[in-house]
Amino acid sequence: MGRAMRILFTFIGGSGHFLPLVPVARAAEAAGHAVAFGCGPSMRATVEAAGFAVFPLGTGSAAAPARLPLRPIDVAREDEEFRDRFVRGAAARRVPQMLALCADWRPDVVVCDEADFGSMLAAERLGLPHATVLVMAAGSFVRAEVIGEALNELRSAHGLPLDSGLEMLYRHLALSPFPPGFRDPAFPLPATAHAFRTTEAPAISARPPGPPIVYFTLGTVFNLESGDLFSRTLAGLRALPIKVVATVGAGIDPAELGPQPANVRIERYIPQESILPKCSLVVSHGGSGSVLGALAHGLPMVLLPMGADQPLNAARCERLGVGRALDPIAASPALVGEAVSIVLADPRYRQTAARFRNEIAALPGPAHAVKLLERLAIAKGAIRAD
């Protein structure tokens, strides 16, 4: 390739939108490219702690979000909230912010998370090549019938033609950190998509002898909207002949959950890569990052989906035979314990999870994604070829 690139990574939302970009950003830095991130104020400290230069996009509060009660799943409500929050709200505000940032920092390529529609639209306005990193595992949450009209209203406001098929999202390059076989076949990957794995080396199981270890998480957003789900789930897990490692997130004090027996460990945060190789099963909300982590380590799942794309991921896990899903409202301790016992006892769940682990291990690593970005920049005239 020619000169080093300036790559601007942007995302909307929290850690689930940031973390899939990190391996590509690190690989880009290792290849000699200049990397910076643009994100909202609430994630600025997280991005800086990861070692990246960061530009603030927006003026919102960096304060911790409020604790909310658990709500019944309502697919229509989730679609409406996604459209209003990510298109009519965040995207509309982000376009002028991104136009100003790009004029100042002058990136050659923009890399956006799948829901950062405002950054994609700004890149299109500026004629900058942009790549999209997929952040939703099942692939059936971002749909034209949900966001198409609102996105076209925003495009028209910025003098861009209508885009009924959401071509803007994946026009130049789509990078998917998920195993292709997990995606809902009714929503196939776009023609520009390339799958990659987020680690340079395949995950290797290091499960210790003794009782199976079960990892329990409700993520980094919905953990604060889960009502008494932590307590109910832990009550079901601690009665089983297993060891439990649970993380509750920065906004929850583990002491809130009261004394626990010796087989239960609760922390605010543990790096998943340090615990998952030792585990036999994951209990989670079905967020895309948690699902990917489990699959990458060949771990079956019990899922308690609460909203966003989680019900779609959970349904996909059940359909593929890699896990069981429970209604988080109705999930009593007895039902949680029963589901975990069934999945641990039935080898078919582990065998299916192992097939996905092997599929992920066979994918090229993040360096391949960087080569694709380099080719895109050359093809669009952003940099010169050798």
Side-chain angles (χ1 to χ4, degrees):
M1 60 163 287
R3 67 175 175 85
M5 294 188 292
R6 295 169 67 82
I7 308 176
L8 179 61
F9 289 81
T10 72
F11 64 96
I12 205 82
S15 294
H17 298 253
F18 167 57
L19 292 176
L21 278 64
V22 170
V24 182
R26 295 205 190 286
E29 287 185 327
H33 301 297
V35 166
F37 271 82
C39 68
S42 65
M43 287 296 294
R44 183 172 183 175
T46 301
V47 178
E48 289 177 335
F52 297 109
V54 58
F55 297 105
L57 291 172
T59 56
S61 171
R67 302 278 289 274
L68 298 172
L70 180 63
R71 300 187 298 179
I73 293 175
D74 183 332
V75 174
R77 183 193 66 218
E78 294 296 332
D79 287 344
E80 180 181 356
E81 290 183 353
F82 182 75
R83 178 181 61 246
D84 291 345
R85 178 184 174 193
F86 285 91
V87 182
R88 293 200 167 107
R93 293 189 298 270
R94 177 150 293 190
V95 175
Q97 299 161 358
M98 270 292 289
L99 292 173
L101 175 54
C102 289
D104 181 53
W105 199 68
R106 303 183 66 82
D108 298 304
V109 177
V110 174
V111 180
C112 315
D113 94 83
E114 188 175 12
D116 191 358
F117 309 116
S119 291
M120 299 177 203
L121 198 151
E124 183 175 343
R125 269 197 57 177
L126 295 170
L128 286 171
H130 77 266
T132 300
V133 177
L134 307 188
V135 297
M136 301 180 197
S140 51
F141 192 56
V142 180
R143 305 187 306 280
E145 61 266 29
V146 175
I147 65 170
E149 181 179 353
L151 197 54
N152 276 329
E153 291 171 1
L154 187 57
R155 291 179 62 84
S156 295
H158 287 275
L160 294 173
L162 299 183
D163 181 10
S164 58
L166 302 185
E167 293 181 8
M168 177 187 74
L169 276 61
Y170 317 112
R171 180 176 288 120
H172 297 151
L173 174 64
L175 300 170
S176 174
F178 305 107
F182 185 83
R183 191 176 177 95
D184 187 338
F187 299 86
L189 286 168
T192 57
H194 296 260
F196 72 103
R197 53 181 161 80
T198 56
T199 56
E200 285 294 357
I204 299 174
S205 174
R207 297 184 185 106
I213 297 174
V214 171
Y215 175 59
F216 171 38
T217 177
L218 294 178
T220 57
V221 174
F222 280 81
N223 61 322
L224 300 176
E225 305 176 15
S226 60
D228 67 342
L229 188 56
F230 272 118
S231 296
R232 281 186 283 126
T233 304
L234 284 169
L237 294 175
R238 66 186 174 221
L240 301 177
I242 61 174
K243 293 182 178 180
V244 180
V245 178
T247 54
V248 295
I252 297 177
D253 184 350
E256 291 181 28
L257 297 168
Q260 301 294 328
N263 66 325
V264 176
R265 172 190 173 194
I266 304 176
E267 303 285 351
R268 278 191 163 96
Y269 172 75
I270 299 173
Q272 287 195 13
E273 59 270 19
S274 72
I275 187 63
L276 290 183
K278 305 172 185 177
C279 291
S280 296
L281 181 141
V282 171
V283 178
S284 84
H285 57 310
S288 290
S290 296
V291 168
L292 177 60
L295 294 177
H297 291 81
L299 300 178
M301 291 166 268
V302 170
L303 302 156
L304 299 155
M306 292 178 278
D309 61 331
Q310 299 157 27
L312 300 168
N313 292 338
R316 192 75 183 129
C317 285
E318 282 205 312
R319 193 171 297 118
L320 291 165
V322 77
R324 293 172 71 94
L326 298 173
D327 180 343
I329 299 290
S332 65
L335 286 175
V336 171
E338 179 185 36
V340 168
S341 297
I342 289 172
V343 175
L344 284 174
D346 190 338
R348 291 174 295 182
Y349 289 104
R350 293 194 302 276
Q351 291 162 359
T352 303
R355 288 198 293 272
F356 280 108
R357 178 193 60 210
N358 295 339
E359 183 180 355
I360 292 170
L363 296 173
H368 176 67
V370 175
K371 291 187 182 299
L372 294 171
L373 291 173
E374 293 168 352
R375 294 174 192 168
L376 173 63
I378 292 170
K380 299 300 180 181
I383 61 174
R384 296 185 306 274
D386 287 337

